[in-house]
Amino acid sequence: MSTGKKTLVGQIDPTVLAYTAGEDVLLDRVLVEVDCIGTAAHVTMLSEMPLAHPLFTVAEKDQVVAALIGVIRDHRKEAFRISASDQDVHLAVERALTAKLGDLGKRVHTGRSRNDQVAVDLRLFAKEQLFHISRETAGLAKVLLAFAEKHREVPMAGRTHLQPAMPSSLGLWASAHAESLLDDLELIRGAYRQNDRSPLGSAAGYGVPLPIDRARTSELLGFSRPIHNVLYASMARGRCEHVILMALSQVMLSVSRLAEDMILYLMPEFGYFSLPPAYCTGSSIMPQKQNPDVFELARARSADVLSCAMRVASILKGLPGGYQRDLQETKAPFMEALRLTHETVTVLQPLMQSLQVHEDSLRAGCIPGVFATDRALELVADGVPFRDAYDRVKSEPDALEGRDPLVAALQKKHEGAPGGLHISGLAKRATDTIDFVNREQKCYNNKVSALLGIEYPSL
Ligand code: ARG
């Protein structure tokens, strides 16, 4: 029987310790700052608690906050370590505070649990990540919309079953992908709103016999409000992550469909577009190759994000109420999906911005057949019943020669058709998202600055 390794929470067998800490020792590195911010809010609230013997005087609270700022600075200099015996960021920060402040450090955990902490940390972390992802997704939508505006009058064959179908425009194609991302951004906004609630004060999920003020910690951290029920606050771990991952999955689904179109249209057989060589990769054996690897990886990584959402959902399904250690395993797929989505919507922007358009090939793709439906509708305008017009057009394929695809595309002027695109209306939705994110981020930074008594995030 192993005597075990000394930790803040008892002697634990080293193999068990390594197995149970799992990836936390590494993953939690991105949570150091938010863990310190959460602790600053908790200790500030404790210092305001009406007790005969205050847990922290104002001066002591200030000492703790100063030490927390020290931990953040050490972390930024890569001088803060989470060791195996810490198990996670929460105990690592408590150890550092106790080393520096003695008894004061030992008091910071009063009235809260690590479940409380990890839930707050992940929500603050996600908030920040959603700012970046929303901004970059809106940025990609804007790039596509600028492209659509510029190429409003470039003809393109609209396809169904990948076969040429109707005369269309490059503007319609690009702004379709943009509008998909704009709808995805609404899902992110919904997920952001659910994430923007404070779980702090749930403790082990059942509250504590202390007059803690949950509304106060929520406000100090810039959340919109506390999650009401403390047991639900604990059970919302993983749930909130999954809601976010569902929104990210939609973003990546939109992106993967754009990527697939790009891979096809970059093929020399289509020749619609080409990319600057710096955005392609070559082959080690075939000197001529210019491969669209970024789009292929975006397509594959959308599968990764979908599977991250499924990993989290699979862990949650059937999990009993209250904290279960299983929840720890939702952390890695959550972080991975946030990272992959952010990287993907970011990397695609310069590629789409520098796309070279080959109008001749796009025009050549508009084979005479694409005018068949237009001609049938012309016959309808002359009073021929549609089915008769359809049969006549089918039997006279030569009558479709010599039409201009651009004229045909732009003649569809109703809302949302190639000749009726309201691109500036779509662009406003992207700009509104960016404005919302900037306001929210500023508000969050102001709250943290007030809490720490120093300009955040610059410190
Ligand atoms: N690293 C843990 C997690 O992510 C922190 C919470 C540990 N809580 C516990 N009751 N063992 O879930």
Side-chain angles (χ1 to χ4, degrees):
M1 195 45 195
S2 155
T3 49
K5 209 165 171 168
K6 196 168 180 309
T7 77
L8 275 188
V9 289
Q11 303 268 122
I12 304 175
D13 173 85
T15 315
V16 169
L17 191 59
Y19 187 76
T20 54
E23 285 183 283
D24 266 16
V25 176
L26 297 174
L27 296 176
D28 279 13
R29 289 208 290 236
V30 298
L31 301 178
V32 173
E33 293 204 14
V34 286
D35 197 72
C36 291
I37 291 167
T39 295
H42 181 66
V43 171
T44 301
M45 182 277 291
L46 291 181
S47 75
E48 295 165 356
M49 220 161 57
L51 291 178
H53 301 287
L55 281 162
F56 292 90
T57 63
V58 171
E60 287 171 332
K61 179 267 288 179
D62 288 343
Q63 265 180 280
V64 174
V65 171
L68 288 165
I69 294 170
V71 171
I72 296 178
R73 287 191 176 133
D74 284 349
H75 170 66
R76 289 187 184 180
K77 285 187 291 195
E78 298 192 12
F80 180 75
R81 231 184 121 237
I82 303 172
S83 68
S85 56
D86 291 325
Q87 301 183 58
D88 51 39
V89 64
H90 323 297
L91 293 180
V93 171
E94 185 177 328
R95 174 183 50 72
L97 291 178
T98 304
K100 180 142 199 198
L101 305 171
D103 276 1
L104 222 44
K106 292 188 196 164
R107 270 190 258 157
V108 299
H109 207 58
T110 315
R112 67 170 183 177
S113 74
R114 275 187 292 165
N115 308 336
D116 241 353
Q117 284 183 278
V118 66
V120 173
D121 292 5
L122 287 168
R123 280 172 188 254
L124 294 181
F125 172 74
K127 185 177 231 188
E128 201 71 66
Q129 296 306 308
L130 290 181
F131 291 148
H132 301 316
I133 291 172
S134 303
R135 219 182 262 124
E136 297 302 332
T137 303
L140 179 57
K142 283 181 86 166
V143 167
L144 288 166
L145 290 170
F147 181 90
E149 186 62 61
K150 184 166 170 201
H151 302 290
R152 232 182 220 281
E153 307 208 339
V154 173
M156 181 183 200
R159 293 173 186 276
T160 63
H161 311 262
L162 276 179
Q163 302 292 321
M166 302 275 288
S168 181
S169 72
L170 201 44
L172 188 82
W173 171 81
S175 58
H177 285 293
E179 191 171 345
S180 184
L181 291 170
L182 294 172
D183 279 359
D184 301 337
L185 281 164
E186 289 182 7
L187 295 174
I188 295 188
R189 172 99 72 119
Y192 174 87
R193 203 172 295 133
Q194 294 231 346
N195 182 66
D196 192 24
R197 292 166 194 164
S198 174
L200 194 55
S202 148
Y206 302 94
V208 284
L210 284 171
I212 59 168
D213 186 344
R214 298 188 58 221
R216 179 71 175 136
T217 42
S218 170
E219 191 217 314
L220 286 168
L221 293 170
F223 285 111
S224 66
R225 64 168 173 80
I227 295 171
H228 178 67
N229 180 308
V230 288
L231 179 55
Y232 172 58
S234 141
M235 288 163 61
R237 170 103 188 266
R239 177 193 188 281
C240 181
E241 286 86 330
H242 186 246
V243 168
I244 291 171
L245 294 189
M246 286 195 293
L248 300 187
S249 296
Q250 285 303 331
V251 173
M252 292 301 280
L253 281 173
S254 297
V255 161
S256 75
R257 300 186 70 180
L258 169 66
E260 176 60 18
D261 272 1
M262 289 305 302
I263 293 164
L264 285 172
Y265 296 152
L266 285 163
M267 287 168 66
E269 288 80 352
F270 274 94
Y272 287 1
F273 306 135
S274 50
L275 275 175
Y279 292 142
C280 300
T281 63
S283 152
S284 60
I285 176 172
M286 298 168 284
Q288 87 286 9
K289 289 304 288 290
Q290 294 284 315
N291 299 324
D293 297 40
V294 172
F295 293 110
E296 294 168 281
L297 289 169
R299 186 172 57 182
R301 285 175 188 164
S302 72
D304 292 340
V305 171
L306 293 179
S307 73
C308 286
M310 187 50 76
R311 273 166 73 189
V312 171
S314 309
I315 292 167
L316 291 183
K317 195 215 149 285
L319 207 63
Y323 177 82
Q324 321 292 331
R325 193 67 182 261
D326 310 48
L327 289 168
Q328 181 172 293
E329 297 304 278
T330 61
K331 195 186 281 178
F334 182 51
M335 290 180 172
E336 185 184 342
L338 285 164
R339 180 177 59 77
L340 290 177
T341 307
H342 182 220
E343 287 174 2
T344 304
V345 289
T346 305
V347 74
L348 289 178
Q349 292 175 58
L351 268 73
M352 296 310 296
Q353 226 156 9
S354 56
L355 204 59
Q356 289 148 12
V357 170
H358 304 302
E359 194 170 336
D360 297 353
S361 305
L362 281 147
R363 201 168 258 279
C366 300
I367 58 169
V370 299
F371 303 109
T373 307
D374 287 5
R375 173 151 153 77
L377 290 172
E378 284 161 18
L379 295 173
V380 166
D382 292 339
V384 182
F386 178 77
R387 193 53 59 209
D388 293 339
Y390 175 100
D391 289 339
R392 206 165 120 197
V393 173
K394 200 165 184 155
S395 66
E396 297 171 356
D398 292 348
L400 301 174
E401 299 284 347
R403 295 188 177 224
D404 183 336
L406 182 61
V407 172
L410 296 183
Q411 144 190 313
K412 290 156 193 138
K413 293 188 198 306
H414 59 75
E415 178 175 345
L421 283 176
H422 184 29
I423 292 175
S424 60
L426 296 175
K428 182 169 182 314
R429 285 177 61 190
T431 309
D432 286 349
T433 298
I434 294 172
D435 290 346
F436 170 77
V437 166
N438 288 344
R439 278 198 308 275
E440 288 288 307
Q441 189 166 31
K442 201 161 168 196
C443 185
Y444 174 66
N445 286 341
N446 287 343
K447 288 280 183 185
V448 178
S449 301
L451 175 66
L452 301 182
I454 185 169
E455 180 85 10
Y456 181 86
S458 53
L459 290 190

